[in-house]
Amino acid sequence: VSDAENWYCECPKLYTGKLCQFATCDENPCGNGATCFPKSRRDAVCLCPYGRSGILCSDAIHITQPSFSGTDVFGYTSFLAYSTIQNITLYYEFRLKFQLANHHSALQDNLIFFTGQKGQGLSGDDFLELGLRNGRVVYTYNLGSGTATIISKPLDLTLNIHVIHLGRNLQKGWLKVDDQKNKTVTSPGRLVGLNVFSQFYLGGYREYTPELLPKGPRFKNGFQGCIFDVQVRTSISQRFKSPGTPEGHPNSGRSVGQCKDSPCSLIKCRNGGKCIESGSTVYCDCLTGWKGAFCTEIVSVCEPEHDPPHLCKQGGTCVPLPNGYRCHCPLGTTGTYCEQG
């Protein structure tokens, strides 16, 4: 089967693979709805569904921050699929964070999320898509009368976690990545509504071939790394919500793990400080005498956080000295600590 520049094989029933070269999993050993893939005529590989792991996908895993492994050697992408996002036609806003598996993965052609009409290769297929290409974030959509695309500046790869905020109101779209300037675009043509019926795919796509995505960006690989705190709203007065029904729950997925690193593994608290996690909030709890985001700053003897506190009374100003401090007394007071009238 081919269109102008792409082709893929539609395999007969017993065969799979890019060239239909593999005989099927006749006696499927995989459990829990896993995708069985015939590695050879005798050997099957189980591509585990969401919430399962292990050789036969028999172990349950609890996923709070999904980690995606890109496209595997069999050509399947790891992905999560959530129910169709309702009321996205005229307005939407998305927020999400991601962490790359490695610097190399930023330079590839990776899908972060997709929702749209299944591609018939027509230029009028509506879609909304976000991905990475050549180290930049690419946000693109088609309302049916032409594709609008925003490409960010190159990502700062010294950052561990990247933050994306994007939206669209009728034809006008905007994208904000990390600390970069907000970029905007207006989609061509006259149409103002996004009509998408597919599920909301995160990290990859269910279909075997990216060619089945609408013409447009067609990211070649799934995402490599972790994507978390995905939130959406479809009107400015709404609160942000996680996708899915019930909220935050995918319908399905494949080869998705729990992000190995907790937020604390990305933060090095210094000078005996302790990293505290609370959901996506993370901070350093510093030992006495230290302060700052990473406990790298010394608390001066005159600061309110100092333990013990300074003893200047009656509005006296504490003035630090090389060893200790003195109290600068207001009018009408005297004494070492301005304690006398």
Side-chain angles (χ1 to χ4, degrees), residues 229-277:
D229 297 351
V230 180
Q231 296 185 310
V232 59
R233 66 178 178 182
T234 51
S235 97
I236 210 148
S237 54
Q238 249 182 19
R239 70 177 181 91
F240 276 95
K241 288 196 284 209
S242 302
T245 319
E247 193 185 326
H249 290 264
N251 293 343
S252 63
R254 179 172 55 222
S255 305
V256 172
Q258 165 70 345
C259 199
K260 289 183 297 295
D261 304 327
S262 65
C264 276
S265 66
L266 308 175
I267 286 185
K268 299 278 179 283
C269 303
R270 303 295 158 90
N271 301 306
K274 187 170 168 235
C275 181
I276 307 287
E277 285 172 29

Side-chain angles (χ1 to χ4, degrees), residues 38-317:
K39 192 162 61 165
S40 66
R41 284 182 181 274
R42 285 192 210 101
D43 202 7
V45 175
C46 302
L47 306 177
C48 294
Y50 176 71
R52 292 278 166 180
S53 74
I55 291 188
L56 300 177
C57 306
S58 48
D59 309 339
I61 51 170
H62 178 59
I63 294 173
T64 51
Q65 294 188 344
S67 124
F68 300 89
S69 47
T71 308
D72 64 24
V73 291
F74 310 112
Y76 285 98
T77 56
S78 66
F79 74 90
L80 289 177
Y82 295 87
S83 53
T84 308
I85 295 172
Q86 301 297 322
N87 309 321
I88 201 173
T89 316
L90 302 176
Y91 181 92
Y92 58 73
E93 255 181 281
F94 285 89
R95 293 197 300 216
L96 61 90
K97 297 179 186 146
F98 69 87
Q99 185 187 349
L100 295 163
N102 49 53
H103 287 180
H104 173 65
S105 66
L107 300 172
Q108 290 186 329
D109 202 14
N110 294 348
L111 179 70
I112 297 176
F113 71 58
F114 167 81
T115 182
Q117 298 169 357
K118 205 176 240 186
Q120 306 302 319
L122 305 171
S123 54
D125 284 330
D126 287 24
F127 65 82
L128 157 63
E129 196 156 21
L130 182 71
L132 287 179
R133 187 170 281 147
N134 300 330
R136 299 165 186 259
V137 174
V138 180
Y139 160 41
T140 178
Y141 58 90
N142 188 339
L143 308 179
S145 54
T147 301
T149 303
I150 304 179
I151 300 175
S152 78
K153 286 190 171 144
L155 289 172
D156 174 356
L157 295 178
T158 62
L159 294 173
N160 261 316
I161 291 183
H162 300 277
V163 181
I164 295 181
H165 193 178
L166 63 86
R168 191 194 111 252
N169 184 17
L170 305 177
Q171 289 177 300
K172 279 198 170 21
W174 53 269
L175 169 70
K176 173 109 178 70
V177 176
D178 296 333
D179 294 333
Q180 299 182 15
K181 278 210 178 83
N182 199 14
K183 292 183 102 171
T184 58
V185 71
T186 302
S187 59
R190 295 194 160 170
L191 297 176
V192 297
L194 177 72
N195 300 299
V196 295
F197 317 110
S198 84
Q199 299 184 87
F200 177 73
Y201 291 98
L202 190 67
Y205 190 52
R206 175 193 302 280
E207 305 295 340
Y208 192 78
T209 41
E211 287 77 31
L212 292 174
L213 292 170
K215 254 205 180 74
R218 282 197 184 157
F219 292 96
K220 292 186 184 66
N221 303 296
F223 187 80
Q224 291 177 289
C226 304
I227 305 175
F228 43 95
D229 297 351
V230 180
Q231 296 185 310
V232 59
R233 66 178 178 182
T234 51
S235 97
I236 210 148
S237 54
Q238 249 182 19
R239 70 177 181 91
F240 276 95
K241 288 196 284 209
S242 302
T245 319
E247 193 185 326
H249 290 264
N251 293 343
S252 63
R254 179 172 55 222
S255 305
V256 172
Q258 165 70 345
C259 199
K260 289 183 297 295
D261 304 327
S262 65
C264 276
S265 66
L266 308 175
I267 286 185
K268 299 278 179 283
C269 303
R270 303 295 158 90
N271 301 306
K274 187 170 168 235
C275 181
I276 307 287
E277 285 172 29
S278 162
S280 57
T281 304
V282 59
Y283 62 93
C284 291
D285 192 359
C286 303
L287 288 180
T288 302
W290 298 95
K291 64 173 186 172
F294 302 102
C295 309
T296 49
E297 299 163 50
I298 294 175
V299 176
S300 140
V301 65
C302 286
E303 288 181 79
E305 306 100 308
H306 192 269
D307 188 14
H310 68 78
L311 299 173
C312 303
K313 302 271 190 297
Q314 305 197 65
T317 305

